[in-house]
Amino acid sequence: MQHPAVPDLSHTHTRPIHWVATATAVAGVVALSSVLQPDAATAAQSADKAATPAPRSAPAHGTPPDPATVAFPLDCGPVKALVQKKASGDLDGDGRPETVAVVHCDAPMGTPPDGVYVVTRGHDGGKPRVVATLVDPQDRRTATELSVRDGVVRTTLLGYSSTDVPSCCPDVTDDVKWRWKNGAFVSDTPSHARTV
């Protein structure tokens, strides 16, 4: 009989007590981690301000206006207006957030066109209201993407190359962005529509 080159290590053989000890240790770690939570994440500027660029607008404070409480300029007949997408941020640099909403009529069939609206509330914190229409539903566009970042509204719009194209099948895609300039929302994106 040949002896192993490594001596027999009796502590490497698992026994029920090892499993109990491991389970107890894991349960202790889980219990401790549920009690000790890290502080909430906060965005802070580094002490070296020369290394970080200055923000374009003041940080948004307060709760963004809720588009669900707004009467949109849509004629939906017997159905109601439905908010499909929303994004919030400070668009005009006043330190208060606005909300951009993609809205269409809640039609039971078909693809109703979207409207893209900017919603804000007054300095007194009153009721939210529509202050700008970025995309009118009469333009027969559908917004597939929506974001607000650094004071810029970005959306991807599907549309039609002519009135002969059926509503089911948009054949043009356009990436559009708007920025608040001189008291109005101006499209920074020239229309470079591409065929889908």
Side-chain angles (χ1 to χ4, degrees):
M1 176 177 192
Q2 186 176 8
H3 293 287
V6 180
D8 183 27
L9 303 175
S10 61
H11 69 278
T12 60
H13 300 289
T14 58
R15 293 188 174 88
I17 192 66
H18 291 119
W19 293 110
V20 170
T22 302
T24 303
V26 170
V29 169
V30 170
L32 188 60
S33 69
S34 67
V35 173
L36 300 174
Q37 293 293 322
D39 291 336
T42 57
Q45 288 185 333
S46 65
D48 182 17
K49 292 192 179 191
T52 55
R56 293 181 180 247
S57 61
H61 299 288
T63 305
D66 183 5
T69 64
V70 175
F72 291 97
L74 284 170
D75 182 14
C76 291
V79 298
K80 62 182 181 175
L82 180 66
V83 176
Q84 279 297 105
K85 296 173 184 56
K86 64 181 179 177
S88 298
D90 184 9
L91 299 176
D92 57 4
D94 67 352
R96 292 176 301 130
E98 288 78 29
T99 298
V100 180
V102 175
V103 184
H104 66 235
C105 295
D106 191 14
M109 296 185 333
T111 307
D114 290 329
V116 180
Y117 304 98
V118 178
V119 178
T120 191
R121 62 173 53 120
H123 291 286
D124 59 355
K127 185 177 178 180
R129 67 188 192 288
V130 174
V131 292
T133 300
L134 303 179
V135 176
D136 192 313
Q138 293 181 357
D139 296 336
R140 295 180 62 211
R141 306 298 297 265
T142 301
T144 60
E145 302 291 329
L146 175 68
S147 68
V148 172
R149 189 173 59 231
D150 298 328
V152 178
V153 178
R154 289 177 173 84
T155 187
T156 300
L157 298 172
L158 302 180
Y160 308 92
S161 58
S162 73
T163 55
D164 297 331
V165 177
S167 295
C168 70
C169 311
D171 63 341
V172 174
T173 302
D174 202 7
D175 295 320
V176 184
K177 62 182 180 176
W178 294 269
R179 182 184 302 277
W180 180 258
K181 285 184 184 177
N182 301 322
F185 285 99
V186 177
S187 176
D188 289 348
T189 308
S191 181
H192 294 297
R194 57 187 192 273
T195 303
V196 183

